Amino acid sequence: MPQISPLSSFRGRGKAEPLPHIPVPTARAVIDCAVYIDGQRLPGRFTHAEALAEVRAKECGFVWVGLHEPDQFQMADVAGTFDLHELAVEDAVHAHQRPKLERYDDILFLVLRTVKYVEHDLHSITEIVQTGEIMIFMGRDFVVTVRHGDHTGLTGVRRELEANPQRLALGPGSVLHAISDHVVDSYIAVTQEIEEDVGEMEEEVFTPRSNLAIEAIYQLKREVVELRRAVKPLALPLQLLSKSPELPLPKEIRRYLRDVADHHIAVAERIGDFDESLSALINAALAKVSVQQNTDMRKISAWAAMAAVPTMVAGIYGMNFEHMPELRWTFGYPLVVAVILVVCTGLFITFRRNNWL
């Protein structure tokens, strides 16, 4: 009779070996790749390597490659073609970076945080501001944009630039300016929505007998803090881009970027005002709750005082002593009830005049 091997022999020995990585073609992460000569897009489809070779063969124009959430292998392929620094490439893959500007020789690396307003009910405690990221690698003859997030599309920006060949003819800096301007414009749109929310909350808080929960104010304040973290650090990169002549940007592009920097300053100041307003609103809401609690306690105390009168009288006449006044009097009970009603009515009138009831 054949012997069956022990059950332990069927168990795996040691840790399972990791599955081999199956490389995904870089083209899967490329949203668009185009060659621009004198502000005009060349017809045809190019890979990122073919596009760069085309530009360098013509010795004019530039390449714009748009990527969406590439993995490390796809990004390494692009980095090898455009000679991008490994530190910047690592930031572009893993994301979650603060807005910043770095320079690696002749290549600029700009990180932008994007924001999107989420429609919500004023009383709900949900996410209000979604964030994403756009990284821009800008060289002498190329721009590589890496996007993270579902709301960070740049199709509209590319379309507007292609409709303005004179701007595109200024080189890769025109793309950097257009994306920066697009991101700051989105900040303005989100702050306008937040401003309406803050205004509605102020009206709700100062409306008598409103039911706005303090948690909703805290949630909006938290989202404003998240918005400030996304917006405020961009001030220094924009100042450097608009004022530093050492950076490889045309003078005309720096002028455009100064306008973007001015808009950014205005937005950052408005966000700071929101934070202060919400802090004051929280204090007002807490004070309102405290006042309401005091009002409720006064009402409870007034009713308790009126209830104490019949309780006291009933307690006295419930002691069952033999010699108590008016126990055997015919009108004793109606008189006691009348006295209780008179005293309670007097207390009610007094409390109502003093706004306790």
Side-chain angles (χ1 to χ4, degrees):
M1 182 175 181
Q3 295 183 350
I4 300 176
S5 59
L7 183 61
S8 59
S9 63
F10 290 95
R11 299 175 181 172
R13 298 179 179 177
K15 295 183 179 180
E17 295 183 0
L19 295 175
H21 174 76
I22 301 176
V24 179
T26 305
R28 293 284 186 89
V30 177
I31 304 301
D32 199 355
C33 178
V35 175
Y36 298 96
I37 304 295
D38 296 329
Q40 299 291 337
R41 177 169 180 163
L42 294 186
R45 298 174 63 88
F46 300 89
T47 65
H48 58 282
E50 293 171 348
L52 186 61
E54 180 74 15
V55 166
R56 291 183 174 173
K58 294 181 178 295
E59 297 184 352
C60 63
F62 68 94
V63 180
W64 182 2
V65 181
L67 305 172
H68 183 246
E69 297 184 355
D71 60 30
Q72 57 181 344
F73 299 97
Q74 294 167 335
M75 195 64 209
D77 181 23
V78 175
T81 301
F82 293 97
D83 194 23
L84 306 180
H85 197 279
E86 60 181 355
L87 294 177
V89 171
E90 182 179 358
D91 290 344
V93 172
H94 297 291
H96 303 295
Q97 303 294 317
R98 297 177 74 254
K100 62 181 180 179
L101 175 67
E102 295 178 348
R103 182 175 183 178
Y104 299 93
D105 297 328
D106 293 332
I107 297 177
L108 295 181
F109 177 59
L110 176 64
V111 178
L112 303 167
R113 293 289 299 276
T114 60
V115 296
K116 178 185 177 183
Y117 179 81
V118 180
E119 296 291 339
H120 65 286
D121 181 70
L122 186 65
H123 297 266
S124 63
I125 304 176
T126 58
E127 184 181 32
I128 301 173
V129 178
Q130 288 183 353
T131 60
E133 292 179 50
I134 297 178
M135 287 85 165
I136 304 174
F137 296 87
M138 193 198 80
R140 178 180 56 84
D141 52 8
F142 68 86
V143 175
V144 177
T145 56
V146 181
R147 301 187 291 107
H148 291 269
D150 297 329
H151 64 275
T152 56
L154 297 175
T155 303
V157 177
R158 188 185 288 263
R159 189 183 301 116
E160 291 178 3
L161 275 176
E162 291 177 353
N164 190 350
Q166 292 181 348
R167 183 75 59 80
L168 268 177
L170 295 175
S174 62
V175 177
L176 185 145
H177 161 260
I179 295 175
S180 302
D181 187 46
H182 169 72
V183 171
V184 173
D185 285 345
S186 70
Y187 294 164
I188 296 174
V190 171
T191 53
Q192 289 174 346
E193 297 286 351
I194 295 291
E195 186 173 15
E196 292 181 4
D197 286 346
V198 173
E200 291 179 8
M201 283 190 172
E202 287 179 346
E203 183 177 357
E204 188 83 9
V205 167
F206 294 108
T207 298
R209 300 178 182 177
S210 61
N211 296 319
L212 181 64
I214 296 180
E215 290 81 0
I217 306 177
Y218 273 115
Q219 177 66 20
L220 182 57
K221 182 175 175 61
R222 177 183 176 185
E223 296 297 313
V224 167
V225 171
E226 181 70 18
L227 179 62
R228 184 178 60 188
R229 290 174 179 171
V231 173
K232 189 175 180 180
L234 185 59
L236 181 58
L238 288 177
Q239 291 295 326
L240 291 174
L241 288 170
S242 61
K243 295 182 178 180
S244 178
E246 299 177 356
L247 297 179
L249 285 171
K251 182 184 296 185
E252 188 68 18
I253 295 297
R254 289 203 299 272
R255 291 173 180 170
Y256 286 122
L257 285 169
R258 280 200 294 269
D259 183 64
V260 176
D262 291 340
H263 291 169
H264 177 270
I265 291 173
V267 170
E269 290 177 351
R270 291 178 67 185
I271 294 174
D273 293 340
F274 294 157
D275 194 20
E276 295 178 1
S277 297
L278 288 172
S279 296
L281 205 57
I282 290 173
N283 293 332
L286 291 174
K288 184 178 180 180
V289 170
S290 179
V291 170
Q292 185 63 42
Q293 289 176 343
N294 291 336
T295 302
D296 294 340
M297 287 301 299
R298 287 192 301 178
K299 290 181 179 180
I300 294 172
S301 300
W303 287 110
M306 288 186 290
V309 175
T311 302
M312 179 186 66
V313 174
I316 292 174
Y317 278 89
M319 291 188 293
N320 295 324
F321 289 111
E322 183 176 356
H323 301 288
M324 292 184 68
E326 316 304 341
L327 283 179
R328 299 183 182 276
W329 186 37
T330 302
F331 300 101
Y333 176 75
L335 179 62
V336 169
V337 172
V339 170
I340 291 174
L341 290 176
V342 170
V343 174
C344 288
T345 302
L347 289 174
F348 180 84
I349 294 173
T350 302
F351 289 140
R352 176 59 66 89
R353 287 178 176 175
N354 289 281
N355 296 320
W356 280 47
L357 290 174

